[in-house]
Amino acid sequence: MRGQVLGVDTATGEGQISGDDGRRYVFRPEDWSDRGGPSVGALIDFEADDRHARRIYRQPGTHVATAAPPETDRNKYVAALLAFFFGIFGVHRFYLGQIGSGIVMLLLTCTLVGAIATGIWAFIDMIRYLMMSDAEFAYLHRRDRPR
């Protein structure tokens, strides 16, 4: 079915679509199948499942500015640098508000095997942060995200 994006909540990535059939459908960020993501006014093609839109694609040849990423007070480059230099202590996890995994990394560092494991863990985290788009990082580490 075809339709148009009516609105997008920048904090959650959820939104609403007006379908060509006159009905309205809701969607979540994981329902988007193209890289562009939702933006108000975008013409889209989707599969309707009751009142839920799934497998959403932007119609070819249509371009609307993408929605602003969710607000975050964290920076992916700062997180990556913290993971690189102080990662075995879990400092980057504390910075991102992931206190539980930060404590686990800090405690594991007390042993040699644990320090090696947290070093590998931190290096993988650093690579992940650098590979994420700014919008994805902001969505995953936004202020109001439940932990």
Side-chain angles (χ1 to χ4, degrees):
M1 175 183 306
R2 293 190 178 217
Q4 185 173 17
V5 177
L6 295 177
V8 180
D9 182 346
T10 57
T12 63
E14 298 175 347
Q16 196 170 57
I17 293 171
S18 175
D20 285 348
D21 62 354
R23 294 174 68 187
R24 292 190 177 185
Y25 300 88
V26 295
F27 64 85
R28 295 184 305 253
E30 57 269 16
D31 296 321
W32 278 84
S33 299
D34 73 354
R35 293 185 67 191
S39 60
V40 176
L43 300 175
I44 47 104
D45 188 45
F46 65 98
E47 291 181 10
D49 179 13
D50 191 31
R51 294 278 184 189
H52 194 94
R54 301 193 190 284
R55 294 187 175 176
I56 307 169
Y57 292 92
R58 189 177 309 274
Q59 290 181 16
T62 62
H63 178 70
V64 178
T66 57
E71 265 188 62
T72 182
D73 55 352
R74 297 167 180 107
N75 183 300
K76 74 177 189 176
Y77 299 108
V78 171
L81 285 171
L82 288 172
F84 183 76
F85 289 110
F86 306 108
I88 65 169
F89 303 112
V91 172
H92 62 292
R93 292 289 177 138
F94 288 107
Y95 171 72
L96 294 174
Q98 299 169 336
I99 308 302
S101 60
I103 291 172
V104 168
M105 291 181 85
L106 189 58
L107 292 175
L108 283 173
T109 304
C110 295
T111 67
L112 178 62
V113 173
I116 293 169
T118 57
I120 293 169
W121 184 359
F123 185 75
I124 291 170
D125 279 348
M126 179 195 70
I127 298 299
R128 281 184 44 239
Y129 301 149
L130 294 174
M131 298 298 290
M132 277 184 205
S133 68
D134 290 338
E136 182 181 6
F137 183 85
Y139 176 74
L140 290 174
H141 303 289
R142 65 186 189 272
R143 291 182 214 151
D144 62 343
R145 181 171 181 232
R147 301 276 174 208

